[in-house]
Amino acid sequence: MRYFLHLAYDGTRFHGWQIQPGTLTVQQELDRCLSQILRQPVYSLGSGRTDSGVHASHQVAHFDAELPEGLDLDTLLYRLNRALPADMRGYLVHPVPPTAHARFDARVRTYEYHVRLVPDPFAAPHTLYLDRAPDVTAMNEAAAYLIGDHDFTSFSKVGGSEKHYRCLCYEAGWHPTPGGVVFRIRANRFVRGMVRLVVGTLLTVGKGKLTPDEFREVFQSLNRVHASGAAKAQGLFLCRVEYPAGLVPTELLPTGLPYFAG
């Protein structure tokens, strides 16, 4: 049987999602705990590969396994959460068709980048602190150029394995939050390093060092060297992964969690 697991994690300790030799990753810990509980080798595959230090309030992974006799899915989830480290948690596991794929069947993904404008020592691992408020109006004017079907070469890390850099962006904008602002971007796909490079360049606009029209020129240049530096990892969250109707039982998704709202 193939299963989808919906999970969240604090990425501070992890060197990204994907298994890498000699370092701690989210996928490594998830596979270790699933294999331990199910008493068989289990290999998960995520909807996307978050980078080192990046968080997820909604990640989806699929895995294939035969549940031991007498083990139901609620008990599996309970035992998984007891086995996982405290900075990882599963929220829902459910069966899917054998051809379902956590990455290739995902239609839309949403990322948020959190900026704090009021000092808060408890928020430090999950936000970028700025001692001066950026020009949100200018940043939103610039961000509007991202919406649509575009080539995001200017906002991609050099050396990525992507076959192309086109992404269909449905939403991109900054929103006020208590004590700060959050950037939300929603698209069908993201190329390597894209969100942090977009945020870093938008913050340059917010500081008055780049105009919205100059941001558009950077974007349309298709040249990575024209973009600003990437924003730091700790403020970035993968916060929602959307699938075709019927693949995920939305009526079973837990309420009160930010990535299931809206």
Side-chain angles (χ1 to χ4, degrees), residues 22-154:
T23 190
L24 182 67
T25 70
V26 177
Q27 186 184 31
Q28 172 194 0
E29 284 296 277
L30 178 60
D31 289 357
R32 178 184 66 81
C33 293
L34 283 171
S35 299
Q36 171 187 318
I37 294 164
L38 295 172
R39 302 193 293 275
Q40 59 194 276
V42 176
Y43 305 99
S44 63
L45 194 147
S47 66
R49 302 173 181 175
T50 51
D51 290 338
S52 179
V54 174
H55 318 292
S57 52
H58 184 209
Q59 172 69 283
V60 181
H62 78 245
F63 64 92
D64 297 326
E66 294 296 332
L67 265 61
E69 186 175 354
L71 180 65
D72 59 36
L73 293 178
D74 288 341
T75 305
L76 169 60
L77 189 61
Y78 171 77
R79 292 181 180 176
L80 177 62
N81 281 326
R82 285 180 61 90
L84 286 170
D87 44 10
M88 292 177 62
R89 279 296 175 267
Y91 289 112
L92 176 67
V93 59
H94 59 90
V96 292
T99 57
H101 198 286
R103 178 183 174 192
F104 297 139
D105 284 339
R107 294 292 180 260
V108 184
R109 298 167 178 84
T110 302
Y111 280 87
E112 289 185 348
Y113 194 93
H114 294 259
V115 172
R116 187 80 183 164
L117 302 175
V118 177
D120 181 352
F122 302 107
H126 307 114
T127 59
L128 174 69
Y129 171 67
L130 298 179
D131 57 3
R132 293 186 180 181
D135 185 340
V136 174
T137 300
M139 292 195 298
N140 275 333
E141 184 181 341
Y145 292 118
L146 301 172
I147 298 175
D149 188 349
H150 300 292
D151 187 320
F152 279 80
T153 297
S154 294

Side-chain angles (χ1 to χ4, degrees), residues 149-201:
D149 188 349
H150 300 292
D151 187 320
F152 279 80
T153 297
S154 294
F155 299 124
S156 175
K157 280 187 180 179
V158 176
S161 59
E162 289 84 2
K163 295 180 180 178
H164 68 90
Y165 295 88
R166 296 202 72 86
C167 304
L168 178 57
C169 181
Y170 301 104
E171 176 187 355
W174 293 86
H175 308 274
T177 59
V181 289
V182 61
F183 176 68
R184 184 178 303 118
I185 184 166
R186 183 171 176 264
N188 68 326
R189 67 189 294 264
F190 291 86
V191 295
R192 184 168 175 256
M194 173 176 156
V195 183
R196 290 171 60 195
L197 287 164
V198 164
V199 170
T201 309

